[in-house]
Amino acid sequence: MSIFPYKIVKVTEGLYIKRSEHFVYSDFGVRDTNTHGHSGRRFICTGVPGTGFIERESESHSYHIFVRKLLAKQRNNYWRLVFGCEPSYKKELARAKTALSQAQEPLRRQILDCYVNALTIGTTEELTERIVRGIKDKIGHKSNKFLVSVMSHYKNKINQMGHDMRSVQLHVQNTCTPEQYEAYLKMCEAFEKMAGCRRIWFANEKSREVYQQVFFDMGVFDFIRADGFLPIMRDSRGVTYYLLPTHMIVARDTVDFDLVPLKNLTIVCQELAIQETVEVINSRLGDAASMVRIPELNLSWYFNHVRPIMYFVGAYEELQKTL
């Protein structure tokens, strides 16, 4: 637990800076430095290092509120710092090591083993990032070649750690055959179009509001490396679903998750009939036009479009044929 928001540290001979004790949010390990994947859109950390999503362009006011709420949690807050409520590589690393020691399934062990290695590198990088920001604050609006050279030294360290991170991460293409990976990329492309639907509702029978709005995105889970990121489906109960080429990750949090083989997972699309649409409107669903069900997990989502949904389900079925 930190009492002071910063610490005086020595970064080189004759140079001391104020290093912030607040957690530094960044997209380190998520995408390469100086790249602008997804048109340079922001990476939104969902509270734990190595897990989050890429903000997408949307006309949905609800989606923008959803993103702003997550970003608001990233603002420096002294009381969150004092009570240890900010993200922590150290805490997450301890949790991941415990989960790894108890893991039995090969793929689960592989994910957690890579996650532990990535967190180990990320711990050092995040501390280095704080030093860089401390040097920037010391430079201010003045020109100081010495401080700039010191800052460049630490930035080079971060770049090197970026290379190290890529070598320890779980790469999606290494978990499947080339044929499966090609089909997976096509499914991801179809998923992005489906995620762009203006409204998506989840049928939550245990909630007072049976149909609750949720959002689909492309993102990352436990620093898993993927070209174009992982498809993310959410329900209104706090569970997140990530699609891999051969499995679906049913994640309650970063170390508490199940792996469901896609070959045993059916995704069904149904276009709503006129009578059903009227009933849905009366249930506050608005302009729902189609429904997606995963019977094995008892999950149902409603969408205000039809064509992108059917396109995704078709691409998913093509992926299943390769399994």
Side-chain angles (χ1 to χ4, degrees):
M1 181 178 71
S2 299
I3 298 178
F4 299 103
Y6 63 84
K7 183 178 181 180
I8 304 297
V9 296
K10 179 181 178 180
V11 294
T12 190
E13 192 64 36
L15 177 61
Y16 293 81
I17 64 165
K18 289 182 178 180
R19 188 190 68 196
S20 173
E21 291 293 275
H22 288 284
F23 178 81
V24 174
Y25 292 88
S26 73
D27 57 5
F28 175 77
V30 174
R31 51 188 174 193
D32 295 331
T33 307
N34 299 326
T35 60
H36 298 280
H38 280 53
S39 303
R41 282 175 262 165
R42 290 180 293 185
F43 169 69
I44 312 296
C45 176
T46 48
V48 182
T51 298
F53 64 96
I54 302 297
E55 181 186 14
R56 54 183 168 79
E57 296 178 1
S58 174
E59 296 180 357
S60 170
H61 180 62
S62 301
Y63 182 73
H64 293 308
I65 292 175
F66 168 68
V67 171
R68 284 198 294 269
K69 284 182 178 179
L70 290 172
L71 289 174
K73 294 179 181 179
Q74 297 183 11
R75 297 186 193 128
N76 290 347
N77 182 290
Y78 177 72
W79 293 111
R80 291 184 71 233
L81 173 68
V82 170
F83 290 106
C85 297
E86 291 189 349
S88 167
Y89 271 98
K90 184 178 180 180
K91 290 180 182 177
E92 187 64 15
L93 185 56
R95 294 180 69 242
K97 285 181 177 179
T98 301
L100 176 60
S101 66
Q102 299 170 351
Q104 301 294 329
E105 189 177 356
L107 181 56
R108 180 181 174 83
R109 285 193 60 83
Q110 188 179 14
I111 291 173
L112 288 171
D113 185 43
C114 291
Y115 188 42
V116 167
N117 293 332
L119 286 170
T120 303
I121 295 172
T123 301
T124 306
E125 189 280 335
E126 195 255 347
L127 199 61
T128 308
E129 191 73 49
R130 293 191 211 176
I131 292 174
V132 169
R133 297 194 181 190
I135 297 172
K136 283 183 178 178
D137 291 339
K138 196 172 185 70
I139 294 174
H141 299 288
K142 302 175 183 178
S143 177
N144 189 311
K145 291 183 178 180
F146 171 65
L147 291 178
V148 170
S149 66
V150 174
M151 184 171 65
S152 297
H153 169 72
Y154 281 98
K155 283 186 174 181
N156 289 334
K157 279 189 173 183
I158 292 175
N159 288 335
Q160 182 56 53
M161 283 185 275
H163 293 295
D164 296 338
M165 177 67 91
R166 286 194 293 276
S167 68
V168 302
Q169 287 177 305
L170 175 63
H171 293 253
V172 165
Q173 59 265 42
N174 295 335
T175 66
C176 60
T177 66
E179 181 187 13
Q180 290 168 345
Y181 187 61
E182 183 180 354
Y184 175 72
L185 291 179
K186 291 180 180 178
M187 185 206 67
C188 288
E189 181 182 348
F191 181 89
E192 281 198 75
K193 295 179 180 178
M194 178 176 71
C197 290
R198 187 177 177 86
R199 291 185 179 87
I200 304 172
W201 299 270
F202 176 73
N204 186 354
E205 297 176 356
K206 296 182 180 180
S207 172
R208 290 183 179 179
E209 295 183 10
V210 178
Y211 301 102
Q212 295 176 291
Q213 189 172 8
V214 295
F215 306 98
F216 289 2
D217 284 292
M218 301 296 292
V220 62
F221 175 74
D222 285 7
F223 283 117
I224 295 175
R225 191 85 174 184
D227 295 332
F229 301 101
L230 304 176
I232 299 174
M233 307 168 76
R234 301 183 180 93
D235 66 22
S236 59
R237 300 173 295 200
V239 182
T240 310
Y241 308 85
Y242 300 86
L243 288 170
L244 299 178
T246 58
H247 288 74
M248 173 184 278
I249 300 175
V250 181
R252 289 166 288 279
D253 64 35
T254 51
V255 297
D256 179 16
F257 59 88
D258 299 322
L259 289 164
V260 184
L262 294 188
K263 62 182 178 181
N264 300 330
L265 211 57
T266 307
I267 297 183
V268 181
C269 175
Q270 178 183 346
E271 184 175 358
L272 297 179
I274 296 177
Q275 295 86 352
E276 292 173 313
T277 305
V278 171
E279 293 177 4
V280 166
I281 290 175
N282 291 335
S283 301
R284 299 174 63 184
L285 256 187
D287 52 353
S290 63
M291 176 182 70
V292 163
R293 276 190 52 77
I294 304 181
E296 292 83 358
L297 300 179
N298 193 28
L299 299 171
S300 297
W301 288 274
Y302 290 83
F303 302 81
N304 67 328
H305 289 86
V306 177
R307 186 173 297 176
I309 319 306
M310 299 187 73
Y311 180 45
F312 163 73
V313 172
Y316 176 80
E317 290 173 349
E318 290 299 314
L319 173 60
Q320 271 194 317
K321 292 177 183 178
T322 67
L323 302 176

